């Protein structure tokens, strides 16, 4: 590898001079969200991810790799970094291990570790490399971005710094660039233009329809999603009336999608004069999650989360596919956290196959690729729809088939516009919102109509502190506990006592806690079920601290 020695010496020099790893720093692990922790502990991590992004680009024949600096729905003091692969997807799982090893070596071993990765992956450091960098609105993101840029420079990579963008936008830019603009233009203007053109083409000139009112209240979580939505508003031209709130406070503080989902109540910051049944949405700090909700005339809060969005989109797409006469296989992918009522509705009413995978959007995305149309959402509101190349070709052909009826061709054209409105690379709160608004308008529904499609089972999520989370191991998409011995049998016996009962446990990926999910036919039984399972976990998995009590929600 001619020229590699110079680069690797510079790698070490930069690290020693500007991006030292603190002594006695605990090891951290690259997960679905990349690396994520308190911002003060991330400078050396950012630098090393800049190095790895260049190596990854060279390993992928010079294709663009993305580096996104964000802590998503986490509190303001946190930050994080994750790499984006060439087609806008999450980093390949094998490279997550390489990222973890690179970050956790000492400064003295950094040069040799970089050399080892380059050798093992057949990387020639004379080859070109290109990296796109983006960040969220946290006050420490610019300084951390400088560390990433230094890492890229040390490895002699080319960089394009997009500044403040949503996470889904950077995923989109990466895919656009690596498809030679076939997916769109890799600019903020190109992103907005593509989505708005498709949205307006579908909506037409009738902005209100039956129970659908052309007005939505948007909680931007005081993050980048609010900033970008203000840009969209200037271009909506009346096609959608969006009122933005929570645009200049502390990111994710008492607002945003995670707050609404976790606390089952509206965020702070919405107007006190908000009318009953007003259609509201909340996104998270980097705008890759979204949930809908409303408060009725009796001041009762109603949440429409990722499960609801998945069922809404799947029903709409299935209808269009059947009407245009194209034979396509559709599947809906969930995790064990999906409400059991949503699964029953999808299987029994929509007649769409359901697959359950392990928690983490990368697992859902991968499984969605098995279908012509793969719809995936986590209950937290993170998800999208993926269309195979074959499906797109069939739909395009149907839109031009003169032997088909005018209605079939028109419906195929509508389906093509829906595809254009979708950010297939990753869950995208803005794209998903426009899709939901499109389907509600198409059906003439308000949120009460949407909510009435099925009744959610009451559910609760608890966290149990344990001495070592690794004593819990699971199988069957995390729905069955393998160890410790006897725990799953005890859970099964408890669940059997409650009508429509379901419960599972899984270890956290980042801290020594075990998460307990429970649902049952009534709220009272759900809370009892959760408490019983939590106490069994406490006894059999080495619980620490106070014994779990029945939740009060």
């Amino acid at each position: 590898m001619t020229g590699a020695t110079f680069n690797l010496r510079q790698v070490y020099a930069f690290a020693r001079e500007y991006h030292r790893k603190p002594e006695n720093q605990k090891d951290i692990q690259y997960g679905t969200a990349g690396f994520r922790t308190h911002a003060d502990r991330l400078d050396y991590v950012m630098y090393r991810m800049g190095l790895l992004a260049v190596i990854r680009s060279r390993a992928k024949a010079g294709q663009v790799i993305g580096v996104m600096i964000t802590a998503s729905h986490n509190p303001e003091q946190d930050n994080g970094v994750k790499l984006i692969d060439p087609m806008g997807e999450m980093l390949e799982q094998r490279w997550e291990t390489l990222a973890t090893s690179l970050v956790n070596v000492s400064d003295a071993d950094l040069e040799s570790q970089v050399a080892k990765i380059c050798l093992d992956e057949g990387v020639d450091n004379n080859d070109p490399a290109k990296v796109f960098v983006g960040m969220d609105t946290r006050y420490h993101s610019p300084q951390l971005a400088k560390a990433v840029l230094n890492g890229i420079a040390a490895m002699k990579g080319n960089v394009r710094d997009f500044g403040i963008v949503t996470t889904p936008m950077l995923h989109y830019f990466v895919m656009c660039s690596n498809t030679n603009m076939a997916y769109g233009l890799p600019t903020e203007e190109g992103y907005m233009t593509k989505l708005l053109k498709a949205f307006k083409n579908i909506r037409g000139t009738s902005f209100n329809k039956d129970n659908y009112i052309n007005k939505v209240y948007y909680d931007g979580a005081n993050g980048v999603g609010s900033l970008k939505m203000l840009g969209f508003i200037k271009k909506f031209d009346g096609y959608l009336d969006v009122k933005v709130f929570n645009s200049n406070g502390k990111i994710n503080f008492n607002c945003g999608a995670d707050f609404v989902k976790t606390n089952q109540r509206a965020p702070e910051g919405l107007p006190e004069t908000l009318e009953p049944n007003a259609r509201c949405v909340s996104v998270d700090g980097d705008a890759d999650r979204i949930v809908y909700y409303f408060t009725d005339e009796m001041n009762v809060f109603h949440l429409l989360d990722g499960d609801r969005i998945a069922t809404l989109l799947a029903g709409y797409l299935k209808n269009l596919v059947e009407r245009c006469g194209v034979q396509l296989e559709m599947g809906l992918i969930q995790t064990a956290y999906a409400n059991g009522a949503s699964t029953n509705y999808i299987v029994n009413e929509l007649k769409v196959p359901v697959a359950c995978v392990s928690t983490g959007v990368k697992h859902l995305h991968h499984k969605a690729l098995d279908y012509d149309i793969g719809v995936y959402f986590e209950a937290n509101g993170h998800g999208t729809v993926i269309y195979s190349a074959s499906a797109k070709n069939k739909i395009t052909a149907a839109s031009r088939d003169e032997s088909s009826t005018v209605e079939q061709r028109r419906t195929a054209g509508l389906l093509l516009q829906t595809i254009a409105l979708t950010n297939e690379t990753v869950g995208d709160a803005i794209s998903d919102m426009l899709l939901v608004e499109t389907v509600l308008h198409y059906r003439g529904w308000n949120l009460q109509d949407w909510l009435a499609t099925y009744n959610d089972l009451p559910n609760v999520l608890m966290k149990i502190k344990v001495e070592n989370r690794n004593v819990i191991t699971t199988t069957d998409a995390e729905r069955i506990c393998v160890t410790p011995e006897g725990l799953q049998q005890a859970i099964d016996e408890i669940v059997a006592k409650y009508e429509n009962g379901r419960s599972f446990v899984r270890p956290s990926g980042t801290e020594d806690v075990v998460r307990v999910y429970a649902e049952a036919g009534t709220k009272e039984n759900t809370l009892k079920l959760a408490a019983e399972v939590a106490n069994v976990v406490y006894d059999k998995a080495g619980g620490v601290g106070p014994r779990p009590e029945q939740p009060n929600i």
Side-chain angles (χ1 to χ4, degrees), residues 387-417:
Y387 303 85
S388 69
S390 173
K392 292 175 183 176
N393 291 336
K394 289 179 181 179
I395 296 166
T396 300
S399 71
R400 301 169 180 170
D401 188 354
E402 294 296 331
S403 66
S404 299
T405 66
V406 172
E407 173 65 13
Q408 285 176 319
R409 293 197 300 272
R410 190 195 71 79
T411 304
L414 177 58
L415 193 46
L416 289 175
Q417 291 295 329

Side-chain angles (χ1 to χ4, degrees), residues 29-30 62 85 94 114 126-127 289 327 330 358 500 536:
Q29 185 172 349
Y30 193 107
D85 259 355
R94 186 172 64 84
V114 170
N126 291 307
D127 289 343
R289 296 183 182 188
Q327 297 298 313
M330 181 187 297
S358 298
N500 293 323
V536 167

Side-chain angles (χ1 to χ4, degrees), residues 212-508:
Y212 179 85
I213 304 299
N214 184 39
K215 188 175 184 180
V216 62
Y217 294 88
Y218 179 97
D219 160 30
N222 294 316
V224 62
S226 59
L227 191 67
K228 301 310 177 185
M229 182 52 66
L230 291 171
F232 269 86
I233 287 174
K234 297 176 182 178
K235 299 175 180 291
F236 272 132
D237 301 324
Y239 281 77
L240 187 62
D241 182 7
V242 182
K243 308 295 184 185
V244 175
F245 297 90
N246 293 326
S247 60
N248 58 4
K250 184 181 290 187
I251 192 168
N252 296 319
F253 183 69
N254 291 340
C255 61
D258 190 62
F259 173 87
V260 173
K261 172 67 176 173
T262 301
N263 293 280
Q264 300 282 305
R265 65 182 176 91
E268 296 181 6
L270 291 181
E272 294 181 4
T273 57
L274 196 67
E275 62 270 23
N277 302 315
R279 191 165 69 257
C280 302
V281 302
S282 286
V283 305
D284 64 337
D286 67 334
D288 63 2
R289 296 183 182 188
I290 183 170
V291 294
Y292 273 72
Y293 51 93
F294 68 97
T295 303
D296 65 23
E297 298 90 344
M298 304 301 293
N299 203 35
V300 176
F301 176 82
H302 301 275
L303 176 67
L304 298 107
D305 60 9
D307 294 339
R308 292 277 181 177
I309 295 172
T311 59
L312 182 76
L313 298 185
Y316 167 78
L317 292 169
K318 185 171 187 283
N319 176 264
L320 293 187
V321 168
E322 290 174 346
R323 285 174 51 202
C324 72
V326 179
Q327 297 298 313
L328 298 173
E329 182 184 7
M330 181 187 297
L332 200 151
I333 299 87
Q334 296 183 318
T335 71
Y337 286 112
N339 194 280
S342 73
T343 308
N344 290 336
Y345 175 75
I346 296 161
V347 173
N348 299 320
E349 298 296 327
L350 296 182
K351 309 294 185 184
V352 173
V354 174
C356 184
V357 298
S358 298
T359 304
V361 71
K362 64 185 177 185
H363 301 299
L364 288 95
H365 189 96
H366 181 75
K367 184 62 179 178
L369 296 172
D370 290 346
Y371 300 91
D372 291 318
I373 301 178
V375 181
Y376 74 82
F377 274 84
E378 292 185 294
N380 60 28
H382 192 177
T384 189
V385 184
I386 302 176
Y387 303 85
S388 69
S390 173
K392 292 175 183 176
N393 291 336
K394 289 179 181 179
I395 296 166
T396 300
S399 71
R400 301 169 180 170
D401 188 354
E402 294 296 331
S403 66
S404 299
T405 66
V406 172
E407 173 65 13
Q408 285 176 319
R409 293 197 300 272
R410 190 195 71 79
T411 304
L414 177 58
L415 193 46
L416 289 175
Q417 291 295 329
T418 303
I419 294 172
L421 186 56
T422 308
N423 186 347
E424 298 179 66
T425 65
V426 73
D428 182 339
I430 293 176
S431 169
D432 289 340
M433 185 190 86
L434 296 179
L435 283 167
V436 169
E437 293 296 319
T438 293
V439 179
L440 293 177
H441 176 267
Y442 174 82
R443 296 197 181 281
W445 282 0
N446 56 25
L447 294 191
Q448 296 95 316
D449 296 323
W450 181 9
L451 188 68
T453 52
Y454 64 86
N455 294 317
D456 275 319
L457 290 169
N459 60 91
V460 67
L461 182 63
M462 296 180 66
K463 292 199 302 185
I464 313 303
K465 291 184 178 181
V466 294
E467 187 172 338
N468 179 9
R469 69 182 184 274
N470 294 318
V471 302
I472 298 279
T473 60
T474 63
T475 188
D476 190 24
E478 302 176 310
R479 291 177 291 187
I480 301 295
C481 187
V482 178
T483 62
E485 187 176 351
L487 177 55
Q488 185 59 51
Q489 181 180 349
I491 293 172
D492 291 342
E493 291 172 356
I494 295 169
V495 168
K497 298 190 298 183
Y498 297 96
E499 185 177 1
N500 293 323
R502 183 169 73 93
S503 183
F504 67 92
V505 303
R506 59 179 290 270
S508 167

